[in-house]
Amino acid sequence: MAVDSPLPVKARDTIGQSGGKLPKIGIKRFLKESDINALNVMEAQGGQEAEIRRRLVQDPVFCSTGIDEQNEYAFLFGLSNGYVAVKDEDTPDALLRMKFNYPEKNQFGIADAAEGLTVEDLKHVKEKADEHGNTIIQFWIAKSAYDKLRKTNGAKELVAQYNGTVYTSVNNLPTPTSSRFNEAFEDETGATFRVIDRSIIKEKNGVRNSVKPWNANIVISVCSNMIGALVYGRLAEQSNPVPGVEYQTIDTYKLIAKFSKTDPLLEATTGQAYVLPVIENVDQVYQLDITKVQEVDETAEGEDTEDV
């Protein structure tokens, strides 16, 4: 810059906005008259104080943990699929759908459906991110897909080269261990793996089912450790508490309430929150769908004169 000249004007980063309502998460647990009688019997028998105390404080902890589980389900499902549909207690007959709008240029498929996901597919995504000026630092992948990836010829060759192993046929190479494969992959690409094998218990009408929120057919590549934010709002009962109800606020946004009613006797514990995990910086999130074959850009392919 020349002396006595004005400072150069730089472009300001664009700011993305999103709108809509936050879903209301709600969890409720009851302590029925029969349960209370059982606690009284335990107390009368003596020697059960610790168990009684545990059962009495269990419901608030359960409600708080249940909200955390729902948040993690929404985050993992939303990150892998690019959208999430969650139940809203204010509209119990409908689902509230949130779409994170991953850019189309950040969505990819694999090269060969018969071969499945390969190391080259992941390197291809990383190369595209480099072209966009982004640096992928981590691949989020389901354990089932990761285990299949380790068994591919590309993974075996990558580890063999990393170890300096001399081989005549890839068929003679063993399947690399997770630690060795991770080391070789990071050495080659500078990126690491985040293997997802998370199960979450979903309960409906007293029936519990174990579900895996992460889409096993999707690999997500990220350029930062800060992927999103937990967005939450203030509940009406926080500013307008109901008389006779015991309230406790946990983690700023979770409202735990305890109250009783008669005929029949019932003690209830509820957990409420207006909250949703939101994926941010979506232009730095790359989605690879294992079930889709990447279409070849014939125009770009024709301009490449180096191919034989």
Side-chain angles (χ1 to χ4, degrees):
M1 184 178 69
V3 179
D4 298 329
S5 62
L7 294 173
V9 178
K10 300 296 184 181
R12 184 183 297 275
D13 290 341
T14 57
I15 300 175
Q17 287 185 324
S18 59
K21 63 167 289 185
L22 287 173
K24 182 180 180 181
I25 295 175
I27 298 177
K28 183 182 295 183
R29 294 201 88 179
F30 293 118
L31 195 63
K32 297 180 292 185
E33 185 174 353
S34 58
D35 298 324
I36 296 173
N37 286 334
L39 289 173
N40 291 334
V41 171
M42 291 169 60
E43 185 178 14
Q45 291 175 342
Q48 301 289 341
E49 290 83 358
E51 175 65 16
I52 294 171
R53 286 196 299 269
R54 186 187 69 81
R55 291 190 63 178
L56 288 175
V57 302
Q58 190 175 24
D59 286 351
V61 173
F62 176 89
C63 290
S64 176
T65 304
I67 293 174
D68 292 337
E69 290 283 282
Q70 292 189 51
N71 285 338
E72 184 160 2
Y73 177 90
F75 169 69
L76 292 175
F77 187 98
L79 179 60
S80 59
N81 291 287
Y83 73 91
V84 63
V86 294
K87 182 180 178 182
D88 182 12
E89 293 297 326
D90 289 337
T91 54
D93 295 332
L95 292 175
L96 198 59
R97 182 183 173 93
M98 319 290 176
K99 189 173 183 180
F100 300 120
N101 293 322
Y102 293 160
E104 187 174 348
K105 65 184 179 68
N106 290 15
Q107 300 178 37
F108 299 91
I110 59 176
D112 188 345
E115 192 173 7
L117 177 67
T118 65
V119 171
E120 290 302 316
D121 291 324
L122 301 182
K123 291 169 68 175
H124 173 71
V125 175
K126 192 174 189 308
E127 289 169 1
K128 289 297 182 182
D130 291 338
E131 293 177 8
H132 300 161
N134 296 323
T135 301
I136 290 175
I137 64 171
Q138 195 168 58
F139 290 90
W140 290 51
I141 182 172
K143 188 177 187 304
S144 57
Y146 173 79
D147 289 340
K148 290 179 182 178
L149 178 64
R150 280 195 301 115
K151 297 175 183 178
T152 61
N153 289 341
K156 295 177 182 179
E157 290 175 337
L158 178 66
V159 175
Q161 293 169 6
Y162 177 71
N163 292 335
T165 303
V166 177
Y167 60 94
T168 55
S169 172
V170 68
N171 295 325
N172 297 329
L173 294 174
T175 298
T177 63
S178 297
S179 58
R180 209 59 177 165
F181 176 52
N182 292 347
E183 288 179 18
F185 186 81
E186 185 175 6
D187 180 75
E188 177 74 10
T189 65
T192 61
F193 285 109
R194 178 74 174 267
V195 181
I196 310 298
D197 192 27
R198 183 72 161 88
S199 295
I200 290 176
I201 302 297
K202 301 281 284 186
E203 183 173 342
K204 184 176 181 181
N205 298 326
V207 179
R208 297 183 179 182
N209 292 304
S210 177
V211 296
K212 289 184 179 293
W214 187 268
N215 187 339
N217 292 321
I218 298 294
V219 178
I220 293 292
S221 317
V222 297
C223 304
S224 171
N225 290 321
M226 295 297 293
I227 302 171
L230 193 65
V231 180
Y232 53 86
R234 185 174 175 83
L235 291 154
E237 274 188 78
Q238 288 178 287
S239 56
N240 297 77
V242 178
V245 178
E246 298 179 15
Y247 291 102
Q248 179 183 9
T249 302
I250 300 177
D251 298 332
T252 307
Y253 67 92
K254 290 183 283 190
L255 184 64
I256 308 299
K258 295 191 71 173
F259 58 91
S260 302
K261 72 183 192 74
T262 59
D263 195 23
L265 178 62
L266 193 70
E267 292 186 1
T269 303
T270 64
Q272 304 174 68
Y274 279 119
V275 63
L276 182 73
V278 175
I279 309 303
E280 298 179 324
N281 299 321
V282 294
D283 58 325
Q284 295 183 352
V285 176
Y286 292 81
Q287 187 182 53
L288 173 63
D289 191 335
I290 301 174
T291 65
K292 296 181 179 179
V293 176
Q294 182 70 32
E295 295 183 4
V296 177
D297 188 340
E298 296 182 357
T299 301
E301 190 74 13
E303 295 173 352
D304 187 357
T305 59
E306 296 181 0
D307 286 347
V308 178

